[in-house]
Amino acid sequence: MTGPESEGSQVRRAVCPGSFDPITNGHLDIIARASRLYDEVYVAVMINKSKKGLFDIEERIELIREVTSEYANVRVESFHGLLVDYCKQRDIPAIVKGLRAVSDFDYELQMAQMNNGLTGVETLFVPTNPTYSFLSSSLVKEVAAWGGDVSHLVPAQVLQALNQRLAKG
């Protein structure tokens, strides 16, 4: 027998961290790809008390759980603090990050080197699908707030939640 259930083998775990306010099709693409490479993928929703999100943490977690339900090996949780501590607590040796552009790489490389230096956690960079290379949660919120069509940028459940939230003003 081979795979995670065989004697002596390790379960391969990775985390996809982010604020996911809201989750976009670009995020989903990275999560889906990670779920094919790892036995367990944790989607870690960052808690930043100094930032007021459009959706609260529980709403984000629920939306992410809905749109990732087809992936049996994906778990969604929140975390507050250092990502490397989250990884250490769950025995996660790898962080998976999507890169949209060279500007992402500069920042993410520094983070990856710091995380590796602190605890040995590795960061794997996945090039974003070109369809989503411009996409960010901030851009989705801004376009939607001005009445623009973002239906092709987020899952249907997220679009519905986004429209409801923005209608409340």
Side-chain angles (χ1 to χ4, degrees):
M1 185 179 347
T2 61
E5 65 284 344
S6 66
E7 187 177 325
S9 72
Q10 290 254 175
V11 174
R12 296 170 303 142
R13 292 184 184 93
V15 62
C16 294
S19 57
F20 305 105
D21 186 35
I23 190 167
T24 69
N25 289 339
H27 293 130
L28 271 178
D29 178 56
I30 299 300
I31 293 165
R33 290 159 69 189
S35 76
R36 291 191 296 271
L37 297 171
Y38 290 93
D39 301 316
E40 294 178 359
V41 175
Y42 289 77
V43 177
V45 182
M46 298 183 311
I47 298 172
N48 184 343
K49 296 193 186 295
S50 65
K51 274 189 175 178
K52 175 71 174 110
L54 183 63
F55 295 100
D56 66 33
I57 297 299
E58 292 75 25
E59 290 170 318
R60 289 183 229 172
I61 288 172
E62 184 54 36
L63 283 170
I64 297 166
R65 283 183 177 148
E66 284 179 40
V67 301
T68 62
S69 63
E70 69 184 272
Y71 309 111
N73 61 336
V74 171
R75 292 161 177 66
V76 185
E77 300 179 335
S78 64
F79 82 95
H80 182 263
L82 293 176
L83 181 58
V84 291
D85 290 338
Y86 177 89
C87 291
K88 207 164 39 173
Q89 292 164 6
R90 287 158 183 78
D91 194 26
I92 298 172
I95 300 166
V96 176
K97 294 279 203 114
L99 292 179
R100 295 172 292 194
V102 173
S103 56
D104 284 351
F105 182 74
D106 289 338
Y107 174 76
E108 295 294 349
L109 179 61
Q110 291 175 20
M111 293 287 293
Q113 290 170 332
M114 176 63 80
N115 289 339
N116 186 267
L118 288 170
T119 62
V121 172
E122 295 289 349
T123 301
L124 291 105
F125 297 119
V126 178
T128 301
N129 179 324
T131 305
Y132 309 122
S133 63
F134 65 92
L135 188 54
S136 72
S137 294
S138 299
L139 195 54
V140 165
K141 289 185 286 193
E142 186 173 343
V143 170
W146 288 101
D149 180 13
V150 295
S151 61
H152 59 296
L153 305 176
V154 295
Q157 301 95 314
V158 174
L159 180 65
Q160 182 180 4
L162 189 58
N163 288 337
Q164 287 174 350
R165 179 59 44 92
L166 293 173
K168 290 180 183 177

